Amino acid sequence: MATIKIKQVRSINGCKEDQRRTVRALGLHRINDTREIPDNEGVRGMIFKVKHLVEIVEE
């Protein structure tokens, strides 16, 4: 199964509550936190919602 590596690059301070919850649901807790999670449509949608806070890490 394919995975995707994401990294939080900006703070969630000042963001809407639903965006905060999305970042937390992705498993990120602070700036420079990195997680490897399954690559599927649901996760891609979550990343799109907070695309200004996270980036996809190329390996």
Side-chain angles (χ1 to χ4, degrees):
M1 182 175 196
T3 60
I4 188 168
K5 199 170 191 179
I6 58 170
K7 176 180 177 181
Q8 184 176 348
V9 293
R10 296 194 61 199
S11 173
I12 60 171
N13 290 343
C15 291
K16 296 178 183 179
E17 186 62 30
D18 62 329
Q19 292 174 342
R20 289 172 182 254
R21 290 181 184 160
T22 302
V23 170
R24 295 286 184 243
L26 288 169
L28 303 170
H29 297 287
R30 59 184 61 86
I31 296 175
N32 289 328
D33 226 1
T34 305
R35 292 288 181 259
E36 194 164 334
I37 52 180
D39 187 10
N40 57 44
E41 290 181 15
V43 169
R44 289 285 178 161
M46 293 169 72
I47 292 170
F48 182 78
K49 186 172 186 174
V50 293
K51 64 181 179 262
H52 58 289
L53 302 175
V54 299
E55 69 179 15
I56 297 176
V57 179
E58 300 297 327
E59 297 180 8

